[in-house]
Amino acid sequence: MSIAKVKEYLRDYGRDCDVQEFPVSSATVELAAKALSVEPARIAKTLSFHGDETNGCILIVTAGDMKIDNAKFKKQFGFKARMLGAEEVAMLTGHEVGGVCPFANPEHVTTYLDISMQRFPSVFPAAGSASSAIELTCEELFKYSQAKEWIDVCKAKDVQAI
């Protein structure tokens, strides 16, 4: 069970007791935002992509209201973005669809954090199941996820004139 693995992993940081579990699904940004009573943008969604020849899987954690910009992805990584299929997710990440998170992943998984989350004092990534989350500052998320680096691979948000 993935949530147990994530709690065990977070125990090393003294944060295993901060994992929230819900009686309802939090498998999508909208469901997680509703379960947590926060705006969807503060949900830290973890997207899983095929890596290059040497890296089996890339996880990119973004703000919940963002989408990957294919041109930025290709510029960052040198190859086209290809998301994992549903059947590949558990095999390559160790987490089921809806509970993919940047914690307790196999060694062949490299995690990156998108700068889109840095506008919030805290964000809510999943914690290994489709009905869990943990609130973390961006600094904590970087540390606990053992992210390789902060990157900018999301589409720019439309700015509304005030």
Side-chain angles (χ1 to χ4, degrees):
M1 183 173 210
S2 192
I3 191 166
K5 186 168 71 168
V6 170
K7 284 183 176 181
E8 182 180 327
Y9 176 84
L10 291 171
R11 187 174 298 125
D12 289 344
Y13 299 100
R15 297 298 302 272
D16 55 308
C17 293
D18 296 326
V19 171
Q20 300 177 53
E21 294 184 69
F22 314 111
V24 296
S25 176
S26 60
T28 67
V29 168
E30 293 76 18
L31 291 172
K34 186 174 180 180
L36 288 157
S37 297
V38 299
E39 65 179 296
R42 288 188 60 204
I43 302 303
K45 66 180 174 182
T46 303
L47 304 171
S48 47
F49 296 88
H50 288 278
D52 61 16
E53 300 80 39
T54 60
N55 188 359
C57 179
I58 295 172
L59 297 181
I60 300 177
V61 186
T62 74
D65 62 343
M66 302 303 287
K67 294 183 179 180
I68 297 295
D69 181 311
N70 289 325
K72 286 182 176 182
F73 184 101
K74 189 169 185 175
K75 183 177 179 184
Q76 175 72 42
F77 295 107
F79 54 90
K80 184 179 177 183
R82 288 185 324 135
M83 291 191 77
L84 297 180
E87 66 285 348
E88 299 171 298
V89 172
M91 180 179 70
L92 291 175
T93 70
H95 303 292
E96 295 293 330
V97 172
V100 177
C101 67
F103 315 114
N105 288 295
E107 280 188 32
H108 65 271
V109 175
T110 304
T111 301
Y112 296 88
L113 304 182
D114 188 79
I115 62 171
S116 60
M117 294 182 291
Q118 293 178 339
R119 60 191 149 132
F120 301 110
S122 63
V123 293
F124 296 86
S129 76
S131 59
S132 66
I134 183 169
E135 182 176 12
L136 299 172
T137 65
C138 288
E139 293 80 20
E140 290 168 331
L141 179 58
F142 188 85
K143 179 180 177 181
Y144 303 163
S145 69
Q146 298 178 7
K148 185 168 184 176
E149 64 182 296
W150 285 99
I151 61 175
D152 178 9
V153 293
C154 285
K155 294 180 181 179
K157 295 290 289 176
D158 290 333
V159 178
Q160 299 293 327
I162 298 177

